[in-house]
Amino acid sequence: MKIETKCLHAGYTPKNTEPRVVPIVQSTTYVYDSTDDVAAVFDDPTKSLIYSRFENPTVMAVEDKINALEGGIGAMCTSSGQAASLLSLLNILKAGDSFISAATIYGGTINLFAFTLKKLGIECIFVDADAPEEEIRAAFKPNTKAVFGETLANPALTVFDIEKFAKIAHENGVPLIIDNTFPTPVLCRPFEFGADIIVHSTTKYMDGHAVQGGGVIVDSGNFDWTNGKFPEFTEPDESYHGTIYTKQYGKAAYIVKARMQLMRDFGCYPAAQSAFYLNLGLETLPIRMKQYCQNALTVAKFLEAQEAVEYVNYPGLESSKYHALAQKYMPDGTSGVISFSIKGGRSTAVKFMDSLKLASNEVHVADIRTCVLHPASATHRQLTDEQLVAAGIDGGLIRISVGLENIDDILADIQQGFDAI
Ligand code: PLP
C-alpha cells in the first residue's frame, strides 16, 4: 500500500458487521475466563491486553497505523511528544550514562535533556549537527549510549543529516533516535536512511487540528541490542519475572521493553478518545502535508523578497544552506513551518506579530490554521543567549506555521503586518 492508502486503512481492518471506523474502547480493563488466562498474559503481555495504563485497542490501532507509515517493527503511543522523547531515551539510558544530541532541537527537548535528565544522572552532550564528522566522533565517551536529532529542527528549520549521524552512531555501537515531528512519514521516513528509533509529537501535523496532545515511539527493529553495550536488553529483567527482552522478543525487544517496563511504571499512555482524534487527523495527513508545503513555499518566497526581513529559514528555498540536504531527505517538501528574522530585532518582531489578524499568536505549530510564535519570548525563553545562538534563535526570529487557508488571505495578512511596523 502507498502512504495515502496506509493513512486510511493501516491498523484497523473491520471484519463482517464490525464498525467501519475504529471504535473508541472506553474501558480501563479487560476480562479473562480464568486465573490461568490472566497468568498467561503476564507471561507474555504481547498476546493479549492487561490494563489501559499501557495498552488499549483504540490506541493500539493508531500505533499500528503509525508503525506502518514509518515502516517499523512496532510503535507505542504516549500522552505527549515530550513523554515519547523521554521514554525513548530512558529505555536505553540509566544514571551514569551519556548521550549525544544536536544542539538545534525543540526548546522543550533542550530543557528535558539539559536540566531534567541531568538531575537523573544522565548527561546530554550537545553538538553542532553541521560540524565535521571528526568533531562529532570526538564527542563520544565510553558511557555514550545514544544519539538524538530532529529531522527538521524546531524552530531553526535546519535539516539533520540522518545518514551521517547513523553512520557515526553505528560505528560507536549505539542507536540513532530521530524526532520526525515536522516532516511526518509523509515527507521523510528516517528508517530508510539508517535511523533506529523515531519519535513524534503527534500533537502537531499528525493530529493537525489542535484537538489532542500525544506522542509516539516507533522501533525499526534494526538495532542490535546484543552488542554488549545494553545489558538491560540481554539480562533478566527482575521487575518482569526475569524476562530477557532480546531472547523473548527478538527484533521487537526495544518496543516491547518500552511498554512492559517503562509505560507500566510511568503510565503516560494516551486516552482512547485522544487516539480516536489522532486517527482522524492521520487519515488526511498526506493531502494536508502536500498543501502545507505548497502554501509555505509561497510564503517563504514572499518573505525572502521583503526589505524588512533579515533572513528566512525554509529548506525548501533554493537559497537555503540546507536545500541540498532537504532535497535528499524531503524531496516532496519541507512542511509548513518557516522561521524568519525581522530587521529591528525583538521589538519589531513583537509589533509585526501583534498586528496580524488571520494568523494567531499560539504556543503551537503545525496546526491547520496559520499561527505564529516568538521563540525567544516563549518556547526558548529559559535559554541563555549562548544557548539561543546554538539553537539558531535571535530576538527578531518569528516562527510561522503556515496553515491551509487560501494563500491569498495568508499573504495579505503578512503584508498588513509589514505595513504596521
Ligand atoms: N518535538 C518537537 C519537534 C516539537 O516541536 C515538540 C513540541 O512543540 C515536541 C517534540 C514535544 O511535543 P508535545 O508538545 O506533544 O509534548
Side-chain angles (χ1 to χ4, degrees):
M1 288 195 285
K2 299 271 196 279
I3 200 142
E4 293 81 358
T5 318
K6 284 183 189 168
C7 277
L8 288 164
H9 295 280
Y12 176 67
T13 311
K15 299 188 198 75
N16 195 23
T17 77
E18 284 183 350
R20 172 63 277 187
V21 177
V22 64
I24 300 172
V25 180
Q26 195 69 40
S27 178
T28 57
T29 191
Y30 313 96
V31 293
Y32 308 91
D33 285 344
S34 70
T35 311
D36 279 352
D37 284 350
V38 183
V41 181
F42 274 82
D43 276 343
D44 185 352
T46 60
K47 294 276 188 289
S48 188
L49 299 166
I50 297 182
Y51 190 53
S52 277
R53 193 198 315 133
F54 44 87
E55 38 192 6
N56 169 279
T58 314
V59 184
M60 290 167 105
V62 178
E63 288 169 346
D64 288 349
K65 177 173 285 186
I66 297 174
N67 182 49
L69 299 180
E70 288 288 15
I73 198 162
M76 180 180 75
C77 283
T78 55
S79 54
S80 69
Q82 283 297 91
S85 300
L86 172 68
L87 295 196
S88 74
L89 286 160
L90 288 188
N91 207 26
I92 304 170
L93 298 148
K94 60 180 182 329
D97 289 338
S98 70
F99 68 105
I100 288 174
S101 171
T104 34
I105 51 172
Y106 164 58
T109 313
I110 296 179
N111 267 344
L112 171 65
F113 290 1
F115 303 107
T116 303
L117 286 183
K118 192 175 171 190
K119 286 185 212 156
L120 300 180
I122 295 169
E123 183 197 7
C124 177
I125 304 160
F126 288 102
V127 295
D128 171 2
D130 295 336
E133 291 189 14
E134 274 325 300
E135 206 176 305
I136 295 159
R137 280 192 186 94
F140 278 81
K141 294 182 180 178
N143 68 356
T144 300
K145 297 280 177 64
V147 178
F148 188 99
E150 263 172 42
T151 320
L152 256 181
N154 176 13
L157 276 311
T158 52
V159 179
F160 187 77
D161 192 341
I162 302 172
E163 268 183 353
K164 170 174 105 173
F165 276 87
K167 186 176 78 177
I168 299 172
H170 296 159
E171 280 168 12
N172 285 278
V174 306
L176 174 64
I177 305 173
I178 291 289
D179 181 335
N180 198 33
T181 296
F182 278 7
T184 81
V186 171
L187 300 177
C188 178
R189 285 180 293 283
F191 291 155
E192 293 172 6
F193 300 100
D196 302 289
I197 311 292
I198 293 172
V199 295
H200 285 275
S201 164
T202 63
T203 318
K204 308 292 163 0
Y205 285 121
M206 282 193 173
D207 162 25
H209 299 75
V211 292
Q212 67 86 49
V216 67
I217 305 175
V218 192
D219 179 8
S220 67
N222 293 333
F223 190 77
D224 178 13
W225 302 103
T226 66
N227 70 4
K229 279 192 163 227
F230 303 95
E232 277 220 44
F233 289 86
T234 54
E235 290 173 10
D237 176 359
E238 57 180 352
S239 83
Y240 222 105
H241 45 72
T243 296
I244 299 175
Y245 294 101
T246 46
K247 208 164 147 192
Q248 196 161 337
Y249 300 104
K251 282 180 165 297
Y254 174 91
I255 202 69
V256 173
K257 176 175 170 299
R259 190 186 299 275
M260 281 168 61
Q261 193 189 66
L262 292 185
M263 194 55 88
R264 176 201 63 188
D265 292 351
F266 288 94
C268 45
Y269 202 59
Q273 188 85 31
S274 297
F276 180 82
Y277 291 135
L278 172 58
N279 189 49
L280 293 182
L282 286 168
E283 289 181 339
T284 57
L285 186 64
I287 194 154
R288 284 189 289 112
M289 291 315 290
K290 200 183 266 185
Q291 193 61 39
Y292 285 125
C293 291
Q294 194 177 313
N295 281 2
L297 186 58
T298 309
V299 170
K301 286 181 178 164
F302 178 81
L303 290 170
E304 203 174 30
Q306 300 298 315
E307 189 49 39
V309 170
E310 191 79 50
Y311 62 84
V312 181
N313 295 327
Y314 188 67
L317 285 174
E318 277 175 29
S319 57
S320 166
K321 174 180 162 194
Y322 295 98
H323 188 66
L325 272 184
Q327 289 294 299
K328 173 176 173 177
Y329 292 114
M330 290 159 274
D332 296 330
T334 55
S335 91
V337 190
I338 302 168
S339 58
F340 67 100
S341 192
I342 208 155
K343 287 180 188 162
R346 189 182 282 255
S347 58
T348 316
V350 169
K351 199 165 176 198
F352 169 84
M353 290 177 59
D354 289 349
S355 310
L356 298 174
K357 293 192 170 66
L358 183 67
S360 45
N361 216 316
E362 279 173 33
V363 185
H364 190 43
V365 65
D367 188 5
I368 203 160
R369 292 150 286 247
T370 298
C371 56
V372 287
L373 182 86
H374 187 236
S377 311
T379 47
H380 293 66
R381 193 178 180 79
Q382 75 288 358
L383 301 190
T384 61
D385 287 350
E386 209 175 36
Q387 284 173 317
L388 279 175
V389 172
I393 294 158
D394 58 56
L397 192 83
I398 296 169
R399 185 184 71 191
I400 176 160
S401 173
V402 181
L404 299 187
E405 299 92 348
N406 184 284
I407 188 65
D408 295 342
D409 295 327
I410 299 172
L411 293 179
D413 193 37
I414 296 172
Q415 182 60 60
Q416 60 91 20
F418 283 125
D419 293 345
I421 59 176

